[in-house]
Each structure stands twice: as C-alpha cells, then as structure tokens.
Amino acid sequence: MTITVQSFLSLAGEFAGAGSASTGGVSWLGAGAAGQTITIGALEFVAVAGARSAGSLTWSAAGTLSAQASSFAAMIGDSEAADVLSAAKLTPTSVTITTLATGPASELALETSTPATYQLTGPTLTGGSELITFALNVATSMVNTSAWRSKAPAATIYLAAHMLAVQTGKGGGETGVIVGRGLDRLSTSNASTSFEPSDAALASTRWGRMYLALRKTLLQLPAATSARGWCRGR
C-alpha cells in the first residue's frame, strides 16, 4: 500500500505548507547567450547580451562564467522573484536557489532552454515533501493492513495527519482540548498534547479522533491499534 504526498494532500490540504523549504541550483557549463531562458515555477528568466536592467527578470550573459552566475543571483534578489525565492553563489560558477515557501507546494519546476549550457540539479526544486513523506512512511508501518483491509489507506492518512498536527501545530486540535477560558482578558488555555501510544493522545487532534472513529468500525480490534500496541503493527 503506497499513499502519495499528492493523494494525502487531496484529503488533508492544510498540511500543504508542512515541511522545509525546497532547494535546487544551476551550474554554468559554458558561456550563455542572449535569449536563453531558465524557468523556475511560473517565473521565466531571460539572458541578455549586455548589462541587465535592475529589477528585471533578466541576467547578463556577458563576461566570465562567474560574472554570469553572479548576475543571475543578483536578478533573483532585486526582482519580483525575491517574493518567492532566494539565491546565492555556491561556487564561482553555480547558484543555489531556495524557496521562501515550505512544504510540497514549494517544489517548483526547474527548466532551461539550453541544458548544454546550464546544468540543473533536477526537474524540480526538492525537499519540501520530506516531512510528509516521513510521516506517511511511519504511519504505514503502524497500520496492520491484514486487520484494517480496505480501510488501511484511510487509517494511514488519519494517523499521518495526527502526527503532523502534533509536530507542526497545523491541522486542527493539535494544541489539545480547551481546559480553561477567561472572558475578562479573552484568554484561552489548552491542555498540552504529547505524542504517545494511547487513545487519549490520539483524541487530542481531530485527525486522531477520526482514526479512532474508523477503528471502531472494524469487526475485530487489531492489536496494532490497541492502546498499548497501536504502533507495533502486529
């Protein structure tokens, strides 16, 4: 049973930003020329023959390879791209690119019109999906598919979402049930949430509560989801 990040987010879209920023890079293998392009997400950057105009989505293809890489990094820093990306020279002829956003949505497409000149680290910026992928892998190991049968995918998604809610503070209910509220200063206090193998801990998030509700529909309670053994997968 494999649940993709995309299928997980189709049901738990509030975790789209959960994770790290995505990174990638461009290395200059040879001298560029005017009209060549590098595209990151919806932004297309174009090489120009002479000096670039500050604030434009262009970089200068004039001078040494190091100068061209510097111009590209400067372009990201002083243009509208700075709202989405940051860039820095990693070596004299390579630029590393990092997204300001986090999570799977930050894995922007990375393309070039001239791959023989501009070597890309890959077809996309990467790293934003790692946290969700890790949570799905852990949750998959906790769900006994022979016991859950057709409900195993849903149980895995709910359990992964519960773990992400506890870890990241996203997803609803992750701060624990409200245990006090003061109207005089509009103050609210919550019970702390810990991640432990117990039904009480699962009930601290709405995703955990959905997992528990689904578990009640099983004809026979699997040992893998009992209060003591829900994480052993047996």
Side-chain angles (χ1 to χ4, degrees):
M1 177 187 65
T2 300
I3 299 172
T4 66
V5 171
Q6 290 71 27
S7 62
F8 172 81
L9 291 176
S10 69
L11 297 173
E14 55 263 65
F15 295 106
S20 303
S22 293
T23 61
V26 183
S27 295
W28 272 249
L29 302 179
Q36 295 173 341
T37 62
I38 295 174
T39 304
I40 306 174
L43 296 170
E44 183 179 71
F45 307 109
V46 183
V48 294
R52 64 176 292 267
S53 298
S56 67
L57 296 180
T58 63
W59 81 93
S60 175
T64 65
L65 300 189
S66 179
Q68 293 176 41
S70 294
S71 180
F72 186 88
M75 169 193 62
I76 290 180
D78 72 9
S79 69
E80 65 181 275
D83 295 333
V84 181
L85 307 166
S86 65
K89 288 184 71 174
L90 185 63
T91 71
T93 58
S94 65
V95 173
T96 184
I97 301 160
T98 304
T99 60
L100 302 187
T102 60
S106 69
E107 295 186 337
L108 304 176
L110 181 61
E111 303 172 295
T112 178
S113 64
T114 321
T117 301
Y118 310 106
Q119 183 180 53
L120 308 179
T121 52
T124 65
L125 304 182
T126 61
S129 295
E130 288 182 359
L131 181 62
I132 293 178
T133 298
F134 178 76
L136 286 171
N137 288 340
V138 173
T140 297
S141 72
M142 291 179 173
V143 174
N144 187 328
T145 55
S146 63
W148 285 88
R149 298 180 182 273
S150 63
K151 297 174 182 178
T156 301
I157 289 173
Y158 291 156
L159 190 54
H162 168 75
M163 289 188 287
L164 288 167
V166 172
Q167 184 172 355
T168 68
K170 300 178 184 292
E174 59 283 345
T175 55
V177 296
I178 294 175
V179 295
R181 175 175 288 140
L183 294 178
D184 56 337
R185 296 184 180 180
L186 297 178
S187 62
T188 299
S189 60
N190 297 75
S192 60
T193 296
S194 60
F195 187 68
E196 58 184 58
S198 69
D199 288 0
L202 283 167
S204 67
T205 73
R206 63 187 177 89
W207 296 103
R209 292 191 290 275
M210 286 190 284
Y211 173 88
L212 292 172
L214 186 64
R215 194 182 69 185
K216 290 181 180 179
T217 68
L218 300 181
L219 294 178
Q220 182 177 358
L221 182 67
T225 56
S226 67
R228 293 185 178 181
W230 70 287
C231 64
R232 289 197 284 268
R234 288 185 274 181

